[in-house]
Amino acid sequence: MEGNGAPVEYAVKMRRFAQRDLFFEMLGEKRLYPANMDALALRIAEFHRGQPSARFEDGFGTPARINAILTRPV
């Protein structure tokens, strides 16, 4: 983690899905329906609901924290 060499193994391997199932493709093929959007919105809301709230004491969202993130080396 955070080394300078080539990766030996990635920490996350994402599952691939058919590109025809991208919402953009579904829209072009008239296969995208309001129910698809509702289901996505519910999943995103459930994910966010399950995350802890940032505490003010931790400095999240402060100008100093934002600046530190934006100016750290890549």
Side-chain angles (χ1 to χ4, degrees):
M1 301 279 294
E2 298 183 25
N4 293 324
V8 175
E9 183 176 345
Y10 292 95
V12 174
K13 182 176 181 180
M14 297 179 69
R15 185 179 64 175
R16 293 198 178 265
F17 61 91
Q19 295 300 292
R20 70 179 297 269
D21 291 334
L22 289 169
F23 277 8
F24 177 79
E25 297 294 334
M26 292 173 66
L27 180 63
E29 297 172 6
K30 299 190 181 346
R31 295 185 299 119
L32 184 62
Y33 302 103
N36 301 117
M37 302 302 293
D38 291 342
L40 175 61
L42 285 172
R43 288 192 74 168
I44 292 171
E46 288 170 7
F47 170 79
H48 282 277
R49 196 172 15 260
Q51 302 307 306
S53 297
R55 297 177 332 161
F56 178 78
E57 303 82 47
D58 294 333
F60 290 107
T62 62
R65 176 62 74 88
I66 294 168
N67 187 55
I69 292 169
L70 294 175
T71 58
R72 76 174 170 214
V74 178

